[in-house]
């Protein structure tokens, strides 16, 4: 009975590990953040956190003594702390770079429609080139 319970729990734990992994890939702006060292560290983090979860789980199921659980958990936590620290360092350095690139691409898309508008000869309002009449005053736009 206890094995069945463990089996159900472990599949729940597995699901909990896998779901955020997939979500992260969807929302991650992979075009902006280059995944090299950062990606590697993320995977490392997931593995360590997964191991900690497994450890807690085995302890809960009575496979590990309190002492063993505490000792291994401390080791794993220290390892996780190092990885998290490294991720933070990379992210803080990359954020600035990504921000600049985002700003540059935002500027590019903004300047495009501005240069292709037609200004009304009556009131000077800018209209999209497809407009035959001014959206502001209704005058015919000459080309
Ligand atoms: Zn006008």
């Amino acid at each position: 009975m206890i094995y069945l319970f463990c089996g159900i729990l472990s599949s729940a734990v597995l699901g909990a590990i896998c779901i955020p992994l997939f979500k992260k890939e969807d929302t991650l702006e992979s075009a902006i953040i280059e995944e090299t060292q950062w990606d590697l560290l993320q995977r490392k983090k997931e593995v360590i956190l997964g191991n900690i979860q497994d450890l807690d789980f085995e302890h809960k199921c009575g496979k590990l003594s309190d002492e063993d659980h505490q000792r291994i958990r401390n080791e794993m936590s220290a390892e996780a702390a190092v990885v998290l620290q490294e991720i933070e360092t990379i992210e803080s350095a990359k954020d600035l770079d990504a921000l600049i690139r985002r700003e540059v691409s935002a500027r590019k898309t903004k300047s495009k429609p501005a240069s292709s508008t037609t200004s009304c000869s009556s009131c000077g309002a800018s209209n999209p080139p497809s407009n035959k009449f001014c959206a502001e005053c209704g005058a015919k736009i000459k080309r």
Side-chain angles (χ1 to χ4, degrees):
M1 194 57 206
I2 204 145
Y3 285 107
L4 185 70
F5 178 68
C6 284
I8 292 164
L9 252 179
S10 65
S11 51
V13 167
L14 258 176
I17 297 166
C18 291
I19 291 162
L21 258 178
F22 286 121
K23 267 192 191 159
K24 204 174 277 167
E25 276 189 354
D26 279 346
T27 54
L28 189 78
E29 295 167 276
S30 48
I32 291 166
I33 302 170
E34 273 111 7
E35 294 129 324
T36 46
Q37 179 90 28
W38 183 85
D39 198 36
L40 204 81
L41 286 167
Q42 284 292 336
R43 237 171 281 172
K44 214 167 156 186
K45 183 187 82 178
E46 294 296 337
V47 169
I48 296 169
L49 293 183
N51 285 343
I52 291 174
Q53 269 180 308
D54 284 348
L55 192 78
D56 285 352
F57 173 71
E58 279 181 26
H59 178 236
K60 230 188 253 173
C61 289
K63 287 184 200 164
L64 265 175
S65 70
D66 287 348
E67 282 166 33
D68 281 346
H69 173 249
Q70 198 56 50
R71 183 176 50 80
I72 301 168
R73 206 182 196 285
N74 282 346
E75 281 172 23
M76 284 178 175
S77 297
E79 215 180 326
V82 171
V83 172
L84 286 172
Q85 189 73 50
E86 282 180 61
I87 289 172
E88 212 164 277
T89 308
I90 288 178
E91 279 187 346
S92 60
K94 271 201 170 153
D95 266 359
L96 202 69
D97 193 39
L99 197 75
I100 292 165
R101 270 192 262 174
R102 217 174 288 162
E103 286 295 315
V104 169
S105 60
R107 269 169 179 276
K108 273 180 197 161
T109 50
K110 251 183 222 166
S111 66
K112 243 186 182 178
S115 64
S116 61
T117 52
T118 315
S119 48
C120 171
S121 53
S122 298
C123 72
S126 46
N127 287 277
S130 56
N131 276 21
K132 283 184 176 126
F133 298 95
C134 176
E136 279 298 313
C137 69
K140 197 169 200 271
I141 294 169
K142 287 171 205 158
R143 280 157 212 272

